[in-house]
Amino acid sequence: QPRTIAMQKRYFLPLLCCLLLAPVNSLAEAPGVTAQQSVLKGERHFLNDYPTHNMDGTVNVVVEIPAGTTAKYEVDHTSGLLALEQKNGMPRYVRYLGYPGNYGMIPRTVLAKELGGDGDPLDALVLGDAVPRGAVIKARPLGVLTLSDHGEEDSKIIMAAVGSPFESLTGIKQLETEYPGITKILEIWFTSYKGRDKDGKLPMRSDGMRERTAAIKLIGDAALQFERAHIKEADKPALDTDGNPRVRFSPQARNISD
């Protein structure tokens, strides 16, 4: 009997280790079955719980699609989760070259439909090294790529990531001078990535680039539209004599004079 107990221990312990170390997802799906949806949860609500502006004058951007990738993730406005978009029951991937920068949205902003927008948060493309999906990064506005999608405004804020070689740029004109071709690449990419519609036309139309002052104003207007749409009257910040929320900036802020 002692020999039997020893034999049991000899085979039981390795078996137990194999069970404990086996990948949990090894039995997650049957053969031929693949995951169609992917949802990421952040530490906070991606849309509501991060400020638009930081005290140093930078702007927060939630990265939905890292540079060079094609999976179309988007923040759900209600849940604040980052989910892979679905189209006709299938996960959506851009059938084009990967995104030319870190693409995402600016929290606590909205392009209101009643003002010609698409009702979504303000889109941003951040120039710099690729970062993980769901990262919330600081960036500085350089300008606006003015786009319309079937008549609705769908402009993109072109931004420079803090710490990137582009951070020191003062606007689109300097970007074009020091990095020839980038603005043209961005314009071609965004007007072409959706392909042609049933009439053989490109649905995205560009009216060119606008400078940094236009970007700063658009961000401020979109943030104000969000506050008006989502904040109760009692929680609204005090307004100045022009009817705009009072904003306090750090003395180190670089966007005050724009």
Side-chain angles (χ1 to χ4, degrees), residues 14-198:
L15 177 60
L16 179 62
C17 290
C18 289
L19 291 173
L20 291 176
L21 295 176
V24 175
N25 62 351
S26 60
L27 297 178
E29 296 91 18
V33 176
T34 57
Q36 290 290 96
Q37 296 183 343
S38 174
V39 179
L40 305 177
K41 184 178 185 299
E43 295 179 349
R44 309 181 198 172
H45 192 294
F46 279 120
L47 176 60
N48 296 341
D49 292 347
Y50 290 95
T52 304
H53 296 92
N54 298 301
M55 292 297 290
D56 59 2
T58 59
V59 174
N60 286 319
V61 177
V62 177
V63 176
E64 299 167 313
I65 308 173
T69 65
T70 60
K72 284 280 290 180
Y73 278 76
E74 186 175 61
V75 171
D76 180 86
H77 303 172
T78 303
S79 67
L81 301 176
L82 185 54
L84 179 59
E85 289 185 36
Q86 304 290 309
K87 186 174 183 179
N88 299 323
M90 296 292 291
R92 188 179 172 197
Y93 291 83
V94 170
R95 301 185 67 176
Y96 200 62
L97 299 174
Y99 272 73
N102 294 299
Y103 184 79
M105 63 91 181
I106 299 176
R108 300 188 70 82
T109 62
V110 65
L111 284 174
K113 286 194 172 185
E114 56 267 27
L115 298 178
D118 57 5
D120 290 332
L122 198 55
D123 297 324
L125 184 90
V126 184
L127 302 177
D129 293 340
V131 300
R133 194 184 322 279
V136 181
I137 60 176
K138 290 184 176 183
R140 298 189 185 278
L142 296 177
V144 184
L145 174 56
T146 308
L147 297 167
S148 61
D149 185 357
H150 292 99
E152 289 186 341
E153 182 181 356
D154 194 20
S155 296
K156 315 297 181 185
I157 304 295
I158 307 303
M159 310 189 76
V162 168
S164 73
F166 306 99
E167 184 187 3
S168 61
L169 300 178
T170 58
I172 292 297
K173 187 175 294 185
Q174 189 179 5
L175 175 64
E176 291 175 338
T177 300
E178 298 193 16
Y179 299 91
I182 286 184
T183 57
K184 197 65 179 175
I185 290 170
L186 298 181
E187 189 171 12
I188 291 173
W189 195 94
F190 277 104
T191 54
S192 304
Y193 83 99
K194 289 188 175 181
R196 302 185 185 277
D197 59 21
K198 60 183 179 181

